[in-house]
């Protein structure tokens, strides 16, 4: 399947999710709160996580269309984390829009995020499935949210440290990014009455591909054409973000002069990127992303062959093949 | 039952809840996050909400001791709201301790609150009860959390407005304070296999007494001895908080000169309190609190007579009789 086919498949599911967001998160009294909550949700995005949930449900033999509430719950959790993370990172812009705290203030953004958080559990509770299954899915979601908080805490803590080991970094991205993809695939399976083993394998699939996706994101920051990136290359570098690339470089005594120097010139940044290419640090991260996605795909062997399973495999490749 | 007996009953349950918090929210890696999350939880408090849950369970014929996880979940949600509210109000101190954001920064406090939020659902999921019942309780909790966010949003919005009507104020305190007491009593009933009617009546009991408690809090700010209050009288007044007392005064064209004047002298504040006594505004709020608690207690007629029911009735009275 080519990129265009994959994108069509994703768009179909994204449309379903967007419609369900309208339905399950209407702008009601007090409107300001719900407008703030909908701000980023309405700016689109590829809806990769809820699409993964729906594809996992199909692949596990479930009725994906019935799982729209569960898919929405995943997207609400994702957006809640974006809103709160943007406060913590003091980010101005997200998806081409003002960050929620820039428009509604820090208090408004804290509350908008908190509202999406509880709405996620509310909406998940409306999924037409056996109570036992919904409860299992809710347990997955609550454990996942705790792990996401831990991951974000580690990410902030790393900023204050000189060195971060590769295993610490891997733990951080697993919690910050991996677990929500894992929960997406796993909840799709659980709500389709899949066996515990299948659910576990789908969690593994989502978690590993999600981690690959995150590492690829770090790679793209250094390698993608600026036109596609929508911003200057090397932003993470001059902000001093401890990505896998930097961790590899530091471990191999590669001097990255612009690291953490926000005033670095474009020329110096490009030079540093060249150094990281030559040291093999970028390639190291790139191949790590590929390996993670490969392991994730292997976990899908638990499923019988089907068009939906093939699409999940394609989605995994797509997640590290392109991003903008 | 006198105050001392009631306090003994509460202390017994508070000890159970504190022990369960140790068990269900251990300080684990990353320790900083969990220390921040435990900071206010460990500073005590009367644990009125979880105690109400346990008493409601007893009164509904359930095994209260088994519901420790559910009781903890309520206390976690309460503390999550305290942590986030303190950021929004820029409060320095809570329960005699530094507010979480003062010690761990705004980012740390946002994450500590978010962690208690998901932990509440996690821990509730560990209650030894039928999946169907746990799911019902989770649905109550998620709807409640959304309502609390709405209530806090309204509270912040009221600060920016000249006038707030009594019904708007009542909606705000119902959501900000009432619903969590309602959820406490209701979840205690649900998890004790009570009928939907009983659960509904217990929600009503908790909600109305919680609202009475909140209004009494506003009254105490103007009438309690400063020694008991632990701070200067009239703090809400000079901060311009639109309490029921102020709403009544404004509606009756009572001039409250110090309202919103943070630099008002102690003498002027005492004068203003006297004006509010004479206008009947304080008495109006006081009697409203009494009426709410009375209606709440009436809802308990759904339960058969029992020592636990008698204690719930006592708890309701206790909530507006004393506070410090």
């Amino acid at each position: 399947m080519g990129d265009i086919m994959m994108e069509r498949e994703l768009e179909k599911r994204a449309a379903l999710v967007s419609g369900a967001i309208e339905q399950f998160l209407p702008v009601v009294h007090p409107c300001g709160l719900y407008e703030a909550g909908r701000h980023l949700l309405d700016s689109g995005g590829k809806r990769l996580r809820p699409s993964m949930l729906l594809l996992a449900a199909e692949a596990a033999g479930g009725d994906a269309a019935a799982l729209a509430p569960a898919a929405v719950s995943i997207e609400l959790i994702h957006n809640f984390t974006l809103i709160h993370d943007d406060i913590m990172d003091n980010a101005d812009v997200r998806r081409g829009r003002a960050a929620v705290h820039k428009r509604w203030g820090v208090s408004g953004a804290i509350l908008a995020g908190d509202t999406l958080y509880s709405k996620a559990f509310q909406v998940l509770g409306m999924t037409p499935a056996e109570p036992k299954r919904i409860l299992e899915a809710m347990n997955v979601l609550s454990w996942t949210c705790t792990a996401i908080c831990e991951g974000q805490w580690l990410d902030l803590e790393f900023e204050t440290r000189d060195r971060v080991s590769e295993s610490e970094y891997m733990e951080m991205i697993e919690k910050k990014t991996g677990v929500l993809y894992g929960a997406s695939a796993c909840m799709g399976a659980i709500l389709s009455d899949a066996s515990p083993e299948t659910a576990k394998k789908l969690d593994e699939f989502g978690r590993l591909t999600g981690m690959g996706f995150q590492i690829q994101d770090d790679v793209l920051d250094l390698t993608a054409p600026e036109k596609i990136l929508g911003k200057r290359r090397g932003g993470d570098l001059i902000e001093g973000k401890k990505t896998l690339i930097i961790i590899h470089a530091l471990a191999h005594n590669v001097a990255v002069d612009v690291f953490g120097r926000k005033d670095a010139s474009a020329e110096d940044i490009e030079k540093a990127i060249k150094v990281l290419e030559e040291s093999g640090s970028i390639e190291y991260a790139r191949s790590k992303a590929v390996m993670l996605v490969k392991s994730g795909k292997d976990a899908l062997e638990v499923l019988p062959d089907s068009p939906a399973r093939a699409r999940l495999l394609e989605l995994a490749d797509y997640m590290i093949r392109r991003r903008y």
Side-chain angles (χ1 to χ4, degrees), chain A:
Chain A
M1 194 188 297
D3 280 351
I4 293 172
M5 281 292 283
M6 188 70 232
E7 276 167 12
R8 261 190 217 148
E9 291 293 332
L10 285 175
E11 276 161 21
K12 232 164 51 184
R13 286 164 185 85
L16 180 94
V17 172
S18 298
I21 288 170
E22 291 275 349
Q23 181 189 345
F24 289 108
L25 195 75
V27 174
V28 293
H29 169 74
C31 294
L33 176 61
Y34 288 97
E35 280 160 9
R38 286 278 296 266
H39 181 65
L40 291 181
L41 279 165
D42 289 352
S43 69
K46 284 207 188 301
R47 317 274 194 215
L48 288 177
R49 295 161 190 81
S51 293
M52 188 181 275
L53 184 148
L54 296 171
L55 280 170
E58 275 181 59
D63 175 10
L67 299 190
V72 168
S73 77
I74 287 285
E75 190 66 9
L76 295 182
I77 291 295
H78 175 51
N79 276 265
F80 135 69
T81 66
L82 296 180
I83 294 173
H84 281 192
D85 284 2
D86 281 347
I87 302 172
M88 300 182 216
D89 300 340
N90 199 20
D92 293 343
V93 175
R94 166 78 68 176
R95 290 181 185 158
R97 294 193 165 193
V100 175
H101 68 107
K102 288 289 163 189
R103 182 141 160 209
W104 282 273
V106 168
S107 297
I110 290 175
L111 277 176
D114 290 345
T115 304
L116 298 190
Y117 211 157
S118 50
K119 274 280 169 185
F121 285 90
Q122 251 179 277
V123 174
L124 181 55
M126 297 177 200
T127 310
E130 287 296 310
K132 192 169 159 283
R133 293 307 199 167
I134 301 176
L135 181 60
E136 274 180 67
M138 272 196 199
N139 284 337
V140 168
L141 196 62
S142 60
W143 283 87
T144 299
C145 289
T146 300
I148 293 172
C149 292
E150 292 178 356
Q152 173 68 2
W153 179 275
L154 291 173
D155 199 12
L156 295 177
E157 193 189 288
F158 290 174
E159 285 177 15
T160 67
R161 284 164 50 177
D162 286 338
R163 287 282 174 122
V164 173
S165 72
E166 180 170 327
S167 70
E168 288 175 319
Y169 170 84
M170 295 300 284
E171 182 202 353
M172 186 273 284
I173 63 164
E174 178 173 7
K175 290 180 168 173
K176 193 169 163 166
T177 308
V179 292
L180 191 56
Y181 279 102
S184 303
C186 176
M187 284 164 58
I190 288 171
L191 294 167
S192 302
D193 278 325
S195 71
E197 196 215 338
T198 300
K200 191 169 165 287
K201 286 288 181 186
L202 275 156
D203 171 61
E204 204 179 311
F205 164 75
R207 187 180 292 242
L208 293 171
T209 53
M211 290 168 77
F213 175 80
Q214 183 58 55
I215 293 175
Q216 181 65 4
D217 208 46
D218 296 344
V219 169
L220 286 173
D221 181 71
L222 297 174
T223 60
E226 300 201 338
K227 219 175 83 183
I228 284 180
L229 212 55
K231 56 179 182 178
R232 283 278 283 284
R233 251 202 299 264
D236 291 349
L237 208 55
I238 60 173
E239 286 192 8
K241 227 179 110 180
K242 291 178 190 75
T243 64
L244 186 58
I245 300 145
I246 284 296
I247 289 167
H248 179 274
L250 293 177
H252 292 81
N253 298 312
V254 178
V256 190
D257 298 335
V258 302
F259 184 61
R261 275 187 36 219
K262 283 184 189 156
D263 59 349
S265 70
E267 200 186 344
D268 285 344
I269 296 174
E270 288 303 319
K271 248 188 242 168
I273 293 174
K274 206 147 179 272
V275 167
L276 291 167
E277 281 285 11
E278 280 160 9
S279 68
S281 304
I282 293 177
E283 190 47 37
Y284 179 77
R286 193 183 276 126
S287 65
K288 190 95 187 176
V290 170
M291 280 190 303
L292 284 163
V293 167
K294 165 89 176 57
S295 305
K297 287 163 72 179
D298 287 348
L300 286 194
E301 276 165 20
V302 74
L303 292 174
D305 200 13
S306 73
R309 178 176 174 278
R311 277 191 202 115
L312 270 182
L313 292 168
E314 274 295 325
L315 175 60
D317 287 329
Y318 177 83
M319 280 168 62
I320 57 163
R321 196 166 55 230
R322 55 190 301 170
R323 283 284 316 286
Y324 50 86

